[in-house]
Each structure stands twice: as structure tokens, then as C-alpha cells.
Amino acid sequence: MAAGKNSDPEQKGWWQRFWQSPKTKYLLWIPAGGFVMLVTGAISLGSVNYAMEETNTLEFCTSCHEMGAFVYPEYEQSAHFSNQSGVRAVCSDCHVPKDWWGKVVRKTEATFNEIPSWITGKIDSPEKFEAHRREMAESVWAKMRASNSATCRSCHSYDAMALSMQDRYAKRRHSSEYREATDKTCIDCHQGIVHKLPEVTAE
Ligand code: HEC
Ligand code: HEC
Ligand code: HEC
Ligand code: HEC
């Protein structure tokens, strides 16, 4: 049998050379360095995810939003705080997207918008809060419309609604015929479910 060209040790292909044990020990640092980078990467991704979980709790949000005693007491009166089924929606369930990227985007936005406004005390009294409620509510509505009320639908779904148990107003609006005829999303019909609606202005 004719010797293949790879049997000549001087003529090994790059692939064989790759798997050869390195002639000099320092070459071992190349794969070792790659491994260290992989582990460091995994740890920092872990801490990003950990930070995102920690900043999604009710306690974290209310640490600022109890301000002047408004957002939290309103929420406490709502069906999303306590209801017959005992399922609670916390702030982040409605205000922070569930998907990883959506979360990163919302947290980044909060860092550049909410933290500076908190430092400057933009909404730190009930009067100031009311003065900004409409602009904040409109911003939330716009985000929810843009996502087709994704955070609402992370708990509720038309498929899971027992329409026969709903009253005739709800049954009609949630029916597939109605949905096909309009392009309304949950937030178009259900505003002010947790917070007071902004005062009606004379426009
Ligand atoms: C560091 C204090 C602080 C924390 C913590 C905080 N917020 Fe805020 N938040 C603010 C301030 C201040 C504003 C007003 C921002 C503005 O409009 O300039 C605000 C605005 C908002 C708005 C209106 C946003 C808009 O689009 O106009 C929502 C919704 C909101 N916060 C939800 C949350 C949720 C949910 C959490 C927890 C995940 C949270 N906040 C944590 C201080 C905070
Ligand atoms: C964490 C899960 C969860 C999320 C997120 C959520 N809901 Fe709910 N929702 C519930 C539960 C639980 C109830 C109470 C059911 C009951 O009465 O037993 C409820 C009740 C309601 C009701 C009837 C009571 C009322 O307050 O009028 C409406 C309407 C409603 N949700 C709309 C929404 C909309 C709109 C959103 C998005 C802005 C949303 N929900 C987000 C779980 C959720
Ligand atoms: C076109 C308007 C419209 C849209 C869109 C809509 N709803 Fe409703 N919904 C209603 C009306 C009207 C009622 C009845 C309100 C009442 O009886 O006070 C209702 C009632 C409800 C109730 C209470 C049902 C009960 O019998 O207690 C829940 C929960 C609810 N909607 C959730 C949602 C969710 C979640 C979405 C989006 C997936 C949604 N709705 C989309 C109009 C709408
Ligand atoms: C069931 C969903 C839901 C939950 C839970 C919820 N919100 Fe909201 N939030 C909304 C919606 C919808 C709006 C838009 C205004 C409206 O329709 O009331 C809003 C508006 C806001 C605004 C703008 C000001 C205003 O009053 O409109 C702030 C600030 C806010 N939410 C903070 C919070 C904080 C903090 C919590 C937790 C204590 C929380 N929200 C819990 C759905 C929710």
C-alpha cells in the first residue's frame, strides 16, 4: 500500500498539527486563556441576569414609587394586587418585557430616564406626580400598544378566556369576530386598571 502523504511527519496538514501536543509548554496558555475567557463571560452574563431579577421585584420598584404615597396605595386597591384567585401581578409583570432583550432595553431606559429624574426629584410629591401623570401614562400606553400588550398577554390570553362566563359586553369585545373587525389591543380598552387615570384636560 502506498504511504499516504500524511504519514510523512514533516508534511502533516494543519489539522494534525493543531492536535499535536505543543512542543513548547507556553503554547498551552492559548487554550487555557480561551477557557478563562469563557468562564469570565459566563459569570458576567450570570450577574447581568441576577441584577435584572433583583430589579424586577415589587420591593425594588416601590422603593421609589411609594413616593408621596400614590402609586403603591392605588395598586393595593386593584384586582391585580389581590383577587379571588390569589394570583398577583407585580409592577414588572406589566412594565418590564419578559424576553431577555426587552428586559435589557427597559432596564437601560430606566437607568437613563428614571434614575436622573429621581435624583432631580421630578415626581417626589403628589402634586408633582399628578402634574406628570398624563405624560407618563401616555408613554406607557404607547409602549403597550407597540407591543400589542405583550405583558398583559404574558398572563391573559383570548384562548384561555371562558367567554361563556363573561358578561355580554366583555364576551362581544373579546370575540374573534370583533377582533378581526378591529385592530384593538388590550390596552386600548383597559386603561386605568391599576392606577388612577390622568385628569381629563380641556383639550
Ligand atoms: C431610582 C428610583 C426608581 C426606581 C427604583 C424605579 N422607578 Fe420608575 N420612575 C422613577 C421616576 C423618577 C420616574 C419619572 C421618570 C420621568 O418621566 O422623567 C419613573 C417613571 C416610571 C414609569 C413611567 C415611565 C414612562 O414611560 O414615562 C413607569 C411605568 C415606572 N417608573 C415603573 C417602574 C417599575 C416597574 C420599576 C421597578 C422595575 C421602577 N419604576 C423602579 C423612579 C424609579
Ligand atoms: C401576572 C399576571 C397578570 C398580568 C401581567 C396582567 N394581569 Fe390582568 N389579571 C390577572 C389576574 C390574576 C386577575 C384577577 C382574576 C380574578 O379576578 O380572579 C386579572 C384581572 C384583570 C381584569 C379584570 C379586573 C379589573 O381590574 O378590571 C382586567 C380587565 C385585566 N386583568 C386586564 C389586564 C391588562 C390590560 C393587563 C396588561 C396591562 C394585565 N391584565 C396584566 C393577572 C395578570
Ligand atoms: C374592544 C375592547 C376590548 C379589548 C380589545 C379587550 N377587552 Fe377585555 N373587556 C372589554 C369589556 C367591554 C369588558 C367588560 C367590562 C365590564 O364588564 O366592566 C372586558 C372585560 C375584561 C376582563 C374581565 C372579564 C370578567 O368577566 O370579569 C378581563 C380579564 C379582560 N377584559 C382582559 C382583557 C385582555 C387581557 C385583553 C387583551 C388580550 C382584552 N381584555 C381586550 C373590552 C375589551
Ligand atoms: C396589571 C398591570 C399593571 C401593574 C401590576 C402595574 N402597572 Fe403601572 N401602569 C399600567 C398601565 C396600563 C399604565 C398606563 C396608565 C393607565 O392606564 O393606568 C401604567 C402606568 C404607570 C405609571 C405612569 C403614571 C400613571 O399613573 O399612569 C407609573 C409611574 C407606573 N405605572 C408604575 C407602576 C408601579 C411602581 C407599579 C407597582 C407598584 C405598577 N405600575 C403596577 C399597568 C400596571
Side-chain angles (χ1 to χ4, degrees), residues 108-168:
T108 312
E109 183 200 35
T111 308
F112 290 105
N113 178 30
E114 297 185 40
I115 293 180
S117 296
W118 179 66
I119 294 169
T120 58
K122 182 171 167 183
I123 54 170
D124 66 1
S125 75
E127 295 72 32
K128 285 183 179 173
F129 188 87
E130 288 309 330
H132 290 288
R133 197 195 284 263
R134 172 163 293 276
E135 115 207 357
M136 290 190 289
E138 272 166 4
S139 150
V140 174
W141 290 328
K143 276 180 240 175
M144 288 186 175
R145 265 187 209 113
S147 71
N148 187 15
S149 309
T151 52
C152 311
R153 291 183 297 103
S154 72
C155 287
H156 296 269
S157 79
Y158 288 121
D159 284 349
M161 279 182 190
L163 293 186
S164 60
M165 293 170 78
Q166 296 185 347
D167 67 30
R168 62 197 176 96

Side-chain angles (χ1 to χ4, degrees), residues 58 61-62 64-67 71-76 78 80-81 88-95 114 123 129 132-141 144 151-152 156 187 190-198:
L58 180 58
C61 306
T62 52
C64 287
H65 282 288
E66 214 158 11
M67 298 173 291
V71 177
Y72 188 71
E74 287 173 14
Y75 162 65
E76 255 186 324
S78 78
H80 284 94
F81 179 78
R88 175 172 294 173
V90 296
C91 321
S92 57
D93 287 327
C94 291
H95 289 294
E114 297 185 40
I123 54 170
F129 188 87
H132 290 288
R133 197 195 284 263
R134 172 163 293 276
E135 115 207 357
M136 290 190 289
E138 272 166 4
S139 150
V140 174
W141 290 328
M144 288 186 175
T151 52
C152 311
H156 296 269
I187 197 60
H190 295 291
Q191 303 183 332
I193 46 170
V194 166
H195 314 283
K196 268 198 278 180
L197 283 170

